Amino acid sequence: MQPIVLKTEACRWDSVSLGEVMLRLDPGEGRVHTARQFTAWEGGGEYNVARGLRRCFGLKTAIITALAENPVGRLVEDFILQGGVDTSLVRWAKYDGVGRTVRNGLNFTERGYGVRAAVGCSDRGHTAISQVAKGDFNWQEIFGSQNGSKWFHTGGIFAALSETTPGVADEAMDAAKAAGTVISYDLNYRDSLWKAIGGKAKAQEVNRELVRKVDLLLGNEEDFSAMLGITLEGVTEDFDELPIASYEKMLRDVAAAYPNLKMVATTLRTAHTASRNAWGAIALYQDEIVHVPQRDVDILDRVGGGDSFASGLIYGFLAGKPVDWAVRCGVAHGALAMTTPGDTSMATYAEVERVMKGGSARIAR
């Protein structure tokens, strides 16, 4: 495996993400199907990485997406702006008045508690970003010398949105690679997105091609199986026990199948209850295993924990840190992100450093 090497020339952005940004409607401690009020947030698997890099780690990031031009789209934009992520690459689609042809996505998600698992229900058909096609974004301008980005992140959620989005991701990766930009991809399998368009067979057809252009591949054990057909051996259906030797073999199998990969990483999660998980990570980099053992963490809202792991890991590389530091940073950032509501991280860099050092939750004042 070759090392991850960042481009040295000046860039407008440290990282850019390609993906959908939805309006998340959160019933708080209640249930979606009995709620009388919701708290609104923004979120999206690829976007959450850009926002974490900006808000927690202070880097310059942008989101490449599309929104319908209406008040809901502008609300999503307002959330993005509050997170400090550059919106200059957002593509605005003309709204038809009722959403027959284009709309903005809604994501209803309840957090779960104890024996009640978290539940998500998305309403994202015909969204503006699902309708983008090759040629809709000027990738040479985005990644070229007039702008440029050191890192590019996208994933399997974006690739599942429509028949055209894999082509957009492919086009973006080609331009990023030509510009010397590092490419990361989070497999992020979602059965709800793939089941109506060919299921796991289609997911594997699409993702096996895209992964051939990736430098850093992220996912969990279900993602590698569903998206690439590479299974994890020696685990039970509920993942109560996570044998590290089996995870190491899986990562090496992925690297062997895709020799272009420079790093493969996966989180380690055992859900004792919805509000208490064991959390860690394991990665393969330059043929060496980096393992952050699981520790129990209390969870308020688990959504976005994997995305925050990704942004912490990516930050480590962008900051020039050793690989073991980067993986530990990802684990700490993911753990902190799951202590607050919403998809996106509210953690500070100082908090991440404290957790990495094993600091306690004693009050700071």
Side-chain angles (χ1 to χ4, degrees):
M1 298 177 81
Q2 297 297 312
I4 289 175
V5 179
L6 298 168
K7 58 193 301 184
T8 56
E9 56 264 40
C11 293
R12 178 176 175 180
W13 303 289
D14 295 299
S15 184
V16 296
S17 287
L18 168 65
E20 183 166 48
V21 189
M22 295 192 293
L23 186 68
R24 174 177 169 180
L25 298 175
D26 181 352
E29 296 176 355
R31 308 293 306 274
V32 169
H33 69 276
T34 59
R36 297 298 178 268
Q37 59 184 13
F38 294 90
T39 300
W41 313 92
E42 91 283 22
E46 297 86 5
Y47 162 77
N48 295 341
V49 175
R51 193 185 188 283
L53 286 167
R54 176 64 188 92
R55 288 296 283 173
C56 181
F57 300 106
L59 300 186
K60 296 174 293 181
T61 65
I63 179 65
I64 306 165
T65 193
L67 295 167
E69 172 64 276
N70 64 20
V72 176
R74 291 299 176 183
L75 174 59
V76 174
E77 179 197 37
D78 192 61
F79 276 118
I80 297 171
L81 291 169
Q82 288 179 52
V85 176
D86 187 346
T87 60
S88 63
L89 302 178
V90 174
R91 178 182 173 90
W92 290 96
K94 186 177 180 180
Y95 187 58
D96 61 16
V98 295
R100 289 189 182 93
T101 59
V102 67
R103 57 192 291 269
N104 298 299
L106 304 178
N107 182 24
F108 296 84
T109 302
E110 57 188 58
R111 305 172 197 170
Y113 183 80
V115 296
R116 177 171 58 84
V119 176
C121 177
S122 62
D123 180 17
R124 67 200 309 176
H126 310 294
T127 58
I129 187 62
S130 73
Q131 298 182 46
V132 296
K134 284 186 173 183
D136 282 348
F137 296 100
N138 188 335
W139 299 112
Q140 281 64 43
E141 184 176 302
I142 291 170
F143 291 115
S145 58
Q146 62 268 53
N147 286 300
S149 179
K150 295 179 181 178
W151 202 283
F152 172 63
H153 180 75
T154 189
I157 294 177
F158 175 73
L161 293 179
S162 70
E163 292 184 357
T164 59
T165 53
V168 177
D170 182 76
E171 184 181 52
M173 288 179 181
D174 285 344
K177 189 164 290 294
T181 298
V182 177
I183 300 168
S184 58
Y185 189 88
D186 194 333
L187 290 166
N188 255 335
Y189 176 70
R190 297 290 185 270
D191 180 67
S192 59
L193 289 175
W194 290 103
K195 64 182 179 181
I197 58 172
K200 291 182 180 179
K202 183 64 174 179
Q204 290 178 20
E205 176 189 332
V206 168
N207 283 274
R208 283 170 173 166
E209 290 303 313
L210 291 176
V211 168
R212 300 187 193 284
K213 301 185 177 186
V214 171
D215 298 305
L216 166 57
L217 182 65
L218 299 144
N220 62 31
E221 58 286 322
E222 182 187 17
D223 296 333
F224 289 111
S225 175
M227 300 288 240
L228 301 179
I230 296 174
T231 57
L232 175 66
E233 302 171 356
V235 295
T236 60
E237 190 173 319
D238 55 9
F239 298 100
D240 275 347
E241 299 292 332
L242 304 183
I244 296 306
S246 295
Y247 274 84
E248 178 176 347
K249 181 180 183 303
M250 180 184 72
L251 296 182
R252 292 191 183 279
D253 287 347
V254 173
Y258 300 93
N260 55 289
L261 292 174
K262 298 178 174 66
M263 185 177 198
V264 190
T266 180
T267 53
L268 301 171
R269 185 196 293 270
T270 303
H272 304 310
T273 69
S275 41
R276 191 162 184 80
N277 289 185
W279 173 254
I282 186 169
L284 178 66
Y285 183 68
Q286 292 192 279
D287 300 315
E288 297 293 330
I289 289 292
V290 180
H291 176 214
V292 178
Q294 289 179 295
R295 58 182 283 192
D296 284 348
V297 295
D298 293 307
I299 293 173
L300 178 65
D301 186 342
R302 66 167 282 167
V303 179
D307 302 328
S308 291
F309 167 75
S311 58
L313 174 64
I314 291 168
Y315 171 74
F317 281 102
L318 288 170
K321 302 289 188 179
V323 64
D324 64 316
W325 189 100
V327 179
R328 288 188 296 109
C329 180
V331 171
H333 189 222
L336 283 165
M338 293 186 289
T339 66
T340 52
D343 289 30
T344 57
S345 167
M346 298 181 187
T348 67
Y349 185 40
E351 289 170 337
V352 172
E353 288 187 308
R354 191 185 73 239
V355 171
M356 290 174 67
K357 294 173 182 175
S360 73
R362 183 178 176 85
I363 188 170
R365 58 185 177 187

